[in-house]
Amino acid sequence: MQDPIERTEPDESAAATSLPKTAAETSPENPWPLQLLSRNLKSYIDRAPATWVEGQIIELNKRANASYITLRDVDAEISLSLTVWSTVMNRLELPLERGARVVAQVKPDFWVKTGRLSMQTRDIRPVGIGDLLARIERLRQALAAEGLFREDRKLPLPLLPNRIGLITGRNSDAMKDVIRNASLRWPAVVFEVREVAVQGVNAVAEVTRALAQLDAMPEVDVIVIARGGGSLEDLLPFSHEDLVRAVSAAQTPVVSAIGHEADRPLLDEVADLRASTPTDAAKRIVPDVGEELQRIGAARAQLRRIVDLTVGREMERLNHIRSRPVLAAPETMVDLRQQDVSRLRERALSCITSEVRRDTDRIAYLRAQVRALSPQNTLDRGYAVVQLADGSVVREAAAVPGDARLRIRVAVGELAATAAAPAEEKPGA
């Protein structure tokens, strides 16, 4: 022992030997007397308070004044022996039996003379169905408040799973029902089976472990937890909080197929799909091959009808279009357009010709005006132009000096001349 233990008052002989004060100070050379250890243990254990515990009775031996009960934990392989005196047992309305679930107020008691530790039972009460249902209901409300049962958390099941994980009892009828009915509906179905305990203290741990294994397999598309019904006590593992939370955290859709209509376990609430029985689960996880073939046939027939109807309707529209005059004699449309083109071309040519003629007449008129005003035209009428040697035109005879060289331009060609002295003008001329 390492912890300090309060010792009882030593007698005079023990005090004389100066014993160690604590168990940690003892040694082979200076040990404690056995009675000192026993009395210290007795003092230490007597200070422990009474405790209420819950478990299942697996052994019950009745004696004259006492009953000896072996109580096992409901979730683990842990047992504890209890001593129940007849005064406590006599307070029960109904006698206890093996397999009953009870709560008991126990307090440890250490017998100094024999060194034996026993659990003295001050009160014991059977856990009734109503108590179990009340506990499940409280847990149901707590988990629902967390949102574990919300519909938007539930995963949809695949139309045709690649592989189905099945968690069920060892060689159970539930396993046979699921596999047989699923195979009848879809012969190519493949199962990944995990046979576990589906009741008792190991059920929660084994089902949770199998669920984790199947959830980690990528080829498993849906997981079925199946059991063929049972009493409320037998189905308690499927309302255990650890299992419910494990199903809620699973990434693969989970189907609950417990097969108990009277009292639904919490697994039904958290599962992505609840099946009333294992047989119902088989019908829900795989489609019926016959029904699917009928649906495919009906779909093909409907598709064929739609195609035929569409083709017929388009053929009627095509025939209607082909019956129009423009398509009966398509060259008519070309001829009409050719006539339009010819008419427009002639009109354009006529317009251009008229414009050219008008402009030609206008040019001739302008040419005649220009010619009428030109010096050449004056010369053609017999006039001449007299220029000096520098090219200047003579307009007055007095401006021409005597003997000046002159150029006389007539209608055709030029003449050279010399200016003579101007004659005197006669009076009255």
Side-chain angles (χ1 to χ4, degrees):
M1 296 180 60
Q2 301 297 326
D3 296 331
I5 298 178
E6 184 177 325
R7 6 176 339 195
T8 59
E9 289 294 331
D11 55 13
E12 295 180 357
S13 61
T17 59
S18 101
L19 295 175
K21 296 181 179 180
T22 63
E25 296 175 0
T26 59
S27 65
E29 293 76 19
N30 193 11
W32 267 0
L34 183 58
Q35 63 172 328
L36 179 57
L37 174 62
S38 297
R39 288 172 181 172
N40 285 343
L41 287 174
K42 172 69 173 177
S43 175
Y44 185 80
I45 293 174
D46 284 346
R47 292 198 300 271
T51 307
W52 284 95
V53 295
E54 180 180 3
Q56 186 179 22
I57 298 176
I58 59 175
E59 290 186 7
L60 176 59
N61 297 319
K62 295 182 180 180
R63 303 289 176 83
N65 296 325
S67 296
Y68 300 95
I69 295 176
T70 302
L71 200 63
R72 187 176 63 185
D73 189 274
V74 295
D75 294 324
E77 287 288 351
I78 299 176
S79 301
L80 184 66
S81 297
L82 306 181
T83 301
V84 187
W85 299 105
S86 57
T87 55
V88 177
M89 296 291 285
N90 291 337
R91 293 200 297 264
L92 297 173
E93 297 180 0
L94 297 175
L96 298 178
E97 298 178 354
R98 289 184 181 181
R101 190 164 180 166
V102 297
V103 292
Q105 187 184 37
V106 298
K107 189 177 188 310
D109 187 20
F110 184 75
W111 296 82
V112 177
K113 291 185 178 181
T114 60
R116 183 170 59 88
L117 179 67
S118 65
M119 303 300 294
Q120 300 295 321
T121 305
R122 298 182 175 182
D123 193 2
I124 188 168
R125 303 174 187 177
V127 178
I129 299 297
D131 296 329
L132 295 177
L133 290 176
R135 293 184 188 179
I136 294 175
E137 184 59 30
R138 287 195 297 270
L139 181 59
R140 185 194 310 274
Q141 294 177 1
L143 297 179
E146 294 184 25
L148 268 64
F149 302 155
R150 292 202 319 267
E151 290 296 327
D152 57 357
R153 290 176 55 91
K154 298 184 182 300
L155 303 175
L157 268 62
L159 176 62
L160 184 60
N162 176 49
R163 185 179 292 266
I164 300 173
L166 178 59
I167 302 174
T168 185
R170 296 177 178 85
N171 196 28
S172 63
D173 292 337
M175 177 180 66
K176 298 174 184 177
D177 287 345
V178 173
I179 295 178
R180 180 177 63 254
N181 287 280
S183 300
L184 289 175
R185 291 176 60 84
W186 197 270
V189 66
V190 179
F191 281 92
E192 186 73 27
V193 181
R194 294 291 184 272
E195 298 184 57
V196 297
V198 291
Q199 70 181 56
V201 295
N202 296 322
V204 175
E206 293 188 15
V207 173
T208 304
R209 183 166 54 251
L211 176 64
Q213 293 175 358
L214 295 175
D215 190 37
M217 299 176 65
E219 63 272 19
V220 174
D221 294 332
V222 63
I223 301 173
V224 181
I225 302 177
R227 175 191 163 91
S231 64
L232 177 62
E233 291 84 352
D234 294 337
L235 299 181
L236 286 177
F238 298 101
S239 292
H240 198 281
E241 183 176 359
D242 294 342
L243 178 57
V244 172
R245 293 190 180 277
V247 172
S248 176
Q251 300 300 314
T252 307
V254 178
V255 178
S256 173
I258 303 305
H260 193 268
E261 292 289 347
D263 301 302
R264 293 176 55 177
L266 296 184
L267 177 63
D268 287 351
E269 306 290 345
V270 73
D272 299 294
L273 176 67
R274 174 187 178 271
S276 58
T277 61
T279 302
D280 182 50
K283 296 179 180 179
R284 306 280 292 274
I285 57 178
V286 292
D288 183 83
V289 64
E291 294 178 358
E292 294 303 317
L293 290 175
Q294 291 178 0
R295 292 177 182 175
I296 293 175
R300 294 178 61 183
Q302 183 179 5
L303 182 61
R304 186 180 298 108
R305 288 194 300 271
I306 294 175
V307 172
D308 293 342
L309 180 62
T310 303
V311 172
R313 185 169 56 248
E314 296 303 321
M315 287 294 296
E316 291 179 359
R317 293 179 58 186
L318 183 60
N319 292 334
H320 178 69
I321 294 174
R322 292 175 61 184
S323 64
R324 294 178 181 177
V326 68
L327 292 180
E331 65 276 7
T332 304
M333 183 172 60
V334 177
D335 294 341
L336 292 176
R337 297 295 179 266
Q338 184 179 8
Q339 293 175 7
D340 292 341
V341 171
S342 299
R343 185 171 59 255
L344 293 174
R345 184 175 58 187
E346 292 175 358
R347 183 182 299 174
L349 181 59
S350 176
C351 292
I352 292 174
T353 302
S354 299
E355 289 295 327
V356 170
R357 288 176 180 175
R358 272 196 304 272
D359 292 341
T360 300
D361 295 342
R362 188 179 300 111
I363 292 172
Y365 174 74
L366 294 174
R367 182 185 293 116
Q369 286 184 331
V370 171
R371 286 180 177 177
L373 298 176
S374 67
Q376 184 64 38
N377 193 36
T378 304
L379 295 176
D380 290 341
R381 292 201 300 272
Y383 293 94
V385 177
V386 180
Q387 296 175 303
L388 296 177
D390 58 1
S392 60
V393 178
V394 178
R395 291 182 172 80
E396 295 180 359
V400 178
D403 297 331
R405 299 290 297 177
L406 302 174
R407 292 171 54 194
I408 302 172
R409 184 170 180 173
V410 293
V412 178
E414 294 181 356
L415 296 175
T418 303
E424 296 182 359
E425 294 183 358
K426 294 181 179 183

